[in-house]
Amino acid sequence: MAYTLTGRKSGTVRFEPRSTGVVEKESESYSSSVTSNPIEDGGEINDHVNNAAGTLSISGTIIGGDGAISALKAMRAKRELITYIGVTRMSNLVFTALKFERSSKNKNGAAFSATLKQVQTAASEYVPMDAAVSMTSQDDGKSSDRQLAKTANYGLTVIAIQTVSSSSAERYEEAYRQTSSSAPLTRQTGGYAGLAVM
């Protein structure tokens, strides 16, 4: 039986007893944690279970040169997702530890051990945009709507471009310069006791 480690970028490392080596030991590990919430009578409520990522440990011997050693090192260096097929089958694995031991008994290879951990991947949400016109195509007068045609996109700020007549600007400034007859001429200030002092 051949044991394989397959990466998406680095290809496949096959362990075959007469040519490349053997996987001598496989170990799967799964763990979970349970939430504990104390209640008034001294007991606990356990209402949720968190499953931790599974881990796979393999060990064996590589023979026939450094090809398999180099390929395993490349998979680890590229941080790629690996699928392992042996007696155990697991996918979405990444290396968390990789160890080689060389000795005079195996001059053209090494004893190896590796620990791999399963990871969860998530894809970004896709929203089709062909039903509505995107904001960028409305910018710079590309829209038939008069108000949208005045809109330009400046980074994160959207600015409406409008011209204001000079007479309107003067009336706006004049409204703030005039004194108001309805406003009090003096202001009442609070006294020590918080009461108004006249």
Side-chain angles (χ1 to χ4, degrees):
M1 175 180 184
Y3 295 79
T4 61
L5 283 162
T6 304
R8 294 181 181 177
K9 301 172 188 171
S10 300
T12 301
V13 176
R14 289 179 71 86
F15 292 96
E16 295 178 344
R18 295 183 186 270
S19 58
T20 55
V22 293
V23 173
E24 298 163 352
K25 191 175 180 183
E26 294 179 2
S27 175
E28 292 177 77
S29 176
Y30 301 96
S31 63
S32 300
S33 60
V34 180
T35 59
S36 297
N37 299 303
I39 55 175
E40 289 183 22
D41 68 355
E44 290 183 343
I45 295 176
N46 307 109
D47 61 350
H48 194 71
V49 177
N50 295 315
N51 289 332
T55 58
L56 173 69
S57 297
I58 58 173
S59 60
T61 304
I62 296 171
I63 60 173
D66 288 339
I69 294 171
S70 298
L72 291 174
K73 286 181 179 179
M75 286 178 180
R76 184 197 147 277
K78 291 179 182 177
R79 304 178 190 98
E80 60 181 309
L81 293 176
I82 297 165
T83 300
Y84 175 77
I85 299 174
V87 176
T88 303
R89 291 173 177 246
M90 292 179 80
S91 58
N92 288 344
L93 298 166
V94 292
F95 280 105
T96 56
L98 182 60
K99 182 179 178 182
F100 299 100
E101 291 181 21
R102 299 178 191 266
S103 70
S104 60
K105 294 179 182 178
N106 185 4
K107 293 180 182 179
N108 294 325
F112 80 96
S113 61
T115 304
L116 300 106
K117 186 172 186 175
Q118 276 188 319
V119 295
Q120 294 180 355
T121 57
S124 58
E125 189 173 338
Y126 171 74
V127 178
M129 297 298 291
D130 48 349
V133 180
S134 65
M135 184 68 179
T136 53
S137 65
Q138 295 172 354
D139 291 343
D140 300 326
K142 294 177 184 173
S143 174
S144 59
D145 185 292
R146 286 182 58 213
Q147 187 60 35
L148 290 177
K150 297 177 184 178
T151 305
N153 187 359
Y154 293 98
L156 297 175
T157 308
V158 178
I159 301 171
I161 300 170
Q162 284 181 282
T163 56
V164 178
S165 67
S166 59
S167 61
S168 295
E170 287 173 11
R171 282 196 306 273
Y172 178 76
E173 288 177 16
E174 190 177 317
Y176 282 94
R177 280 190 250 134
Q178 291 179 356
T179 58
S180 172
S181 59
S182 61
L185 297 175
T186 58
R187 186 174 63 176
Q188 295 180 348
T189 57
Y192 179 78
L195 302 173
V197 177
M198 300 300 236

